[in-house]
Amino acid sequence: MSQAKSATTKRPLTYHEVWGRVGIYAFLGVLALFFLLPLYVMLVTSFKSMDEVRLGLIFSLPQQFSIDAWVKAWTSACTGLECTGLQVGFGNSVKILVPSVVLSILLGALNGYALSFWKVRGANVLFACLLLGSFVPYQVFIYPLVRFYAKTGIYGSLPAIVITHIIFGMPVMTLLFRNYYSGLPLELFKAARIDGAGFWKIFFSIILPMSVPIAIVAVIMQVTAIWNDFLLGLVFAGRDNLPMTVQLNNIVNTTTGERAYNVNMAATVLTSLVPLTVYLVSGRWFVRGIASGAVKG
Amino acid sequence: MGADLTRHVKRNIVAYIALLPMAAVVIFAYLGTMAWSVRLSFSSSKLLPRNDFVGFAQYVTLFDTSRWQTSLGNLAIIAFFFLLICFVLGCLLAIFIDQNVRAESLFRTVFLYPYAMSFVVAGLIWQWILNPDLGIQHTMHGLGFSGFVLDWVVNPQMVLYAIILATVWHGSGLVMALILAGLRGVDTEIWKATRIDGIPAWRVYVSIVLPMLRPMIITSLVLLSISIVKMYDVVVAMTNGGPGTASEVPAKFIMDNLFERANIGLATAASTVMLVTVLLVMAPVIYSQYFRKSGRAS
């Protein structure tokens, strides 16, 4: 019996166990390389000159380190006819992101609060429809929404894309806050009621201050989701507000002549910087967002 | 009594008003648009919506369209391999990480970071790496292996597997994260008991631990399935449906018919097919996940 009874006893590992450990690290190591490969290729290529890219050694380190491709991607790469670089798309994405994130989270908190603490007839049916809607492909909603926005005159504008993000973020945001509030003690709410506090008073002075942890999760989820969106931005934002993901695709896939791979890859890394930073900074909160978005809390 | 009743109504009215935005979104943005999409699929709408009724004509045309047939077939292949590989790989990663490895958080970070990136980025990167004139094939030729072929993105027979590779890279970290969270919740007594009984570790995982993680498994499969049905960005960025129509998918078929081919009737028929499929598959899952127990656990 080579199995250790408890891991606390310090003794040399057996031959069998040593190979087991080696196997574990080899498996994880090889897969880690596979997962890192694309990021590595993008980074090294983005620091090369086109002369070096033409050599076609995609995995080699740059011989002459250059940030020209980054500057070009940011300031002068062509998205179709205009050559103003990704900075425009970055600005657009920020303009879309801030109101969409703030409003969708506030609405999610409000919905979750009303659903968890107040008795509103039919509210659960509405919520069920909302949840079901989150599983339906966007393509079912897109055309009627386009017509609706066109009728009201906001099609292809900032309000149109912000409203669209609020609509499609509502199921997850409502679910997130509803589940969180379901875990709060009901006595708290009852005590506030007895003291005569009303709907808004309780929401703003008791519930919202307690919502910080879940609000952080919500911010992480919405920032990542909205920044990474391509389809909705493409359809609803209009030509003047195209988000960074759409502009990135335009830069890469509409070039004529020789493809500037170094610029393209710098542009790709630039587009990923915001969600990657959010991911690296947030750590376990990110995972919590994924889990709580889909599992009943 | 009268005062009580008035107060009761008044306090509820505020809650009703607060839920009005949600009600409006559900009724107009979800149900209304859905109903109108379905309605249009029974009309002869081309560039503009028409209010006539042509029965199932659009659906007959749809299933006669070879591009749609290709799209459905492609989606089935992608869904099968993507779900299978993502799930198995994600579980393996989680189980290996759970063996008290050093640098655990580093491994976790590396396996999940693709999930934080957009599908557009995932598609573009893998298109470059698999591009025969630039990526792995070119490098291997440079190293003297002139017979080496890796042309998935330009080979109609293999292009779907290139998309599967990119999406697996993007999504398996999600499974890893969810399963790992589940493994951390497993009672350590189980491990002690099975060790005393001499049951091999892999049997414990397959027969005891994984069944305990049912909620995590369902969650990850639901999330992966949604991303398959919605799959659009990654295809547009990676192949734009090509070569030819070899990597067309239903979501792209609908977008093309809505905005480029001005065939709204056909597009809405296709989206109705997707809608019905998703509802049929998802309704039982959603019911069991979210509504079996009442909202407040008290």
Side-chain angles (χ1 to χ4, degrees):
Chain A
M1 289 278 100
S2 65
Q3 299 278 12
K5 205 175 171 201
S6 89
T8 50
T9 53
K10 289 245 171 166
R11 57 167 184 76
L13 294 175
T14 63
Y15 181 76
H16 184 74
E17 284 168 335
V18 169
W19 281 106
R21 298 310 284 176
V22 170
I24 288 169
Y25 283 107
F27 177 84
L28 290 175
V30 167
L31 278 158
L33 288 181
F34 165 74
F35 276 83
L36 285 173
L37 180 78
L39 194 60
Y40 169 80
V41 167
M42 280 195 302
L43 283 173
V44 292
T45 310
S46 67
F47 288 114
K48 289 174 183 172
S49 67
M50 259 328 270
D51 287 338
E52 215 178 309
V53 171
R54 276 186 215 102
L55 296 175
L57 298 170
I58 195 171
F59 301 106
S60 64
L61 286 168
Q63 281 154 10
Q64 274 187 321
F65 195 84
S66 148
I67 59 161
D68 292 355
W70 287 75
V71 174
K72 196 175 174 209
W74 182 253
T75 58
S76 65
C78 298
T79 58
L81 291 175
E82 286 175 39
C83 296
T84 46
L86 266 180
Q87 52 181 337
V88 183
F90 179 86
N92 291 342
S93 277
V94 172
K95 273 190 282 179
I96 295 170
L97 186 77
V98 174
S100 305
V101 169
V102 171
L103 291 173
S104 66
I105 290 177
L106 275 179
L107 269 176
L110 182 63
N111 292 343
Y113 162 67
L115 287 169
S116 303
F117 291 105
W118 295 82
K119 296 218 166 6
V120 175
R121 203 169 288 174
N124 277 325
V125 178
L126 273 184
F127 179 58
C129 291
L130 191 66
L131 270 188
L132 207 59
S134 72
F135 293 91
V136 174
Y138 291 149
Q139 278 77 9
V140 177
F141 310 113
I142 277 180
Y143 184 71
L145 280 179
V146 167
R147 296 292 298 177
F148 172 74
Y149 292 143
K151 272 266 186 326
T152 50
I154 59 168
Y155 179 54
S157 71
L158 209 53
I161 181 66
V162 170
I163 292 171
T164 312
H165 279 306
I166 293 173
I167 290 173
F168 291 120
M170 192 176 274
V172 179
M173 288 299 108
T174 304
L175 177 71
L176 201 66
F177 282 96
R178 172 185 169 271
N179 287 351
Y180 181 76
Y181 293 150
S182 297
L184 294 181
L186 199 59
E187 288 68 34
L188 198 81
F189 173 76
K190 283 180 179 157
R193 295 289 299 144
I194 290 165
D195 288 348
F199 184 93
W200 298 110
K201 173 93 177 147
I202 297 176
F203 181 57
F204 284 111
S205 46
I206 299 176
I207 301 297
L208 270 193
M210 293 180 75
S211 310
V212 174
I214 203 67
I216 294 173
V217 173
V219 168
I220 293 167
M221 291 176 76
Q222 285 298 83
V223 168
T224 327
I226 292 171
W227 193 274
N228 285 339
D229 159 68
F230 173 80
L231 176 65
L232 300 178
L234 177 71
V235 174
F236 295 106
R239 203 179 283 175
D240 296 332
N241 305 303
L242 289 178
M244 210 171 179
T245 46
V246 177
Q247 295 223 323
L248 168 71
N249 193 53
N250 287 347
I251 287 178
V252 174
N253 283 330
T254 61
T255 37
T256 46
E258 187 189 40
R259 278 169 182 270
Y261 285 112
N262 52 355
V263 176
N264 290 351
M265 297 206 196
T268 312
V269 180
L270 280 170
T271 309
S272 316
L273 274 184
V274 168
L276 267 185
T277 309
V278 169
Y279 169 66
L280 290 175
V281 171
S282 63
R284 282 179 185 271
W285 292 84
F286 186 87
V287 178
R288 199 173 151 196
I290 298 174
S292 52
V295 191
K296 209 179 89 56
Chain B
M1 283 303 281
D4 265 10
L5 191 69
T6 321
R7 228 184 71 204
H8 176 84
V9 169
K10 199 181 160 195
R11 87 173 172 197
N12 275 289
I13 269 179
V14 186
Y16 276 94
I17 293 170
L19 279 177
L20 275 182
M22 182 174 118
V25 164
V26 170
I27 292 166
F28 296 108
Y30 282 95
L31 299 178
T33 52
M34 222 184 270
W36 201 33
S37 266
V38 175
R39 164 69 188 91
L40 283 175
S41 72
F42 294 103
S43 74
S44 65
S45 306
K46 285 282 183 195
L47 177 64
L48 291 170
R50 284 183 208 155
N51 272 325
D52 58 350
F53 185 79
V54 296
F56 284 91
Q58 298 286 8
Y59 292 87
V60 174
T61 317
L62 179 68
F63 282 94
D64 272 342
T65 309
S66 69
R67 230 168 81 112
W68 174 251
Q69 294 164 357
T70 314
S71 302
L72 280 186
N74 288 347
L75 193 68
I77 294 174
I78 293 173
F80 176 78
F81 285 104
F82 171 72
L83 282 179
L84 185 74
I85 301 173
C86 259
F87 184 70
V88 173
L89 189 63
C91 285
L92 285 176
L93 287 173
I95 290 173
F96 276 81
I97 286 180
D98 199 34
Q99 308 301 313
N100 281 317
V101 294
R102 277 161 209 261
E104 179 200 312
S105 72
L106 180 71
F107 280 121
R108 268 194 288 116
T109 307
V110 167
F111 295 137
L112 188 59
Y113 89 90
Y115 192 73
M117 311 238 257
S118 84
F119 272 117
V120 177
V121 169
L124 292 176
I125 307 172
W126 282 100
Q127 187 219 312
W128 290 322
I129 292 180
L130 297 172
N131 183 336
D133 299 325
L134 180 76
I136 295 174
Q137 178 180 316
H138 191 84
T139 305
M140 293 303 267
H141 287 188
L143 291 172
F145 301 96
S146 55
F148 184 89
V149 176
L150 185 68
D151 60 350
W152 289 7
V153 281
V154 292
N155 181 343
Q157 308 290 322
M158 295 304 292
V159 67
L160 289 183
Y161 299 97
I163 293 172
I164 291 166
L165 180 64
T167 49
V168 163
W169 174 80
H170 186 264
S172 32
L174 169 81
V175 181
M176 185 268 312
L178 287 171
I179 299 290
L180 188 59
L183 287 175
R184 291 291 147 84
V186 171
D187 193 346
T188 46
E189 293 299 316
I190 288 176
W191 287 107
K192 285 185 189 154
T194 53
R195 206 172 290 151
I196 291 165
D197 290 346
I199 304 169
W202 67 269
R203 284 258 8 213
V204 181
Y205 275 113
V206 173
S207 313
I208 301 173
V209 174
L210 283 184
M212 287 171 69
L213 302 185
R214 198 170 148 264
M216 277 72 188
I217 293 174
I218 292 179
T219 302
S220 51
L221 290 180
V222 166
L223 289 177
L224 294 179
S225 309
I226 297 174
S227 70
I228 296 174
V229 178
K230 291 185 174 170
M231 183 177 292
Y232 172 77
D233 323 9
V234 67
V235 175
V236 169
M238 199 165 180
T239 64
N240 206 13
T245 60
S247 59
E248 291 287 345
V249 286
K252 185 168 174 296
F253 178 93
I254 296 170
M255 294 299 288
D256 291 351
N257 277 287
L258 277 184
F259 295 106
E260 279 164 32
R261 297 169 166 239
N263 201 338
I264 290 162
L266 195 67
T268 48
S271 66
T272 305
V273 171
M274 283 177 85
L275 171 68
V276 171
T277 315
V278 167
L279 291 185
L280 284 179
V281 175
M282 289 297 172
V285 179
I286 295 169
Y287 180 78
S288 69
Q289 280 289 88
Y290 301 104
F291 294 104
R292 209 170 34 180
K293 292 177 221 142
S294 68
R296 181 169 278 280
S298 60

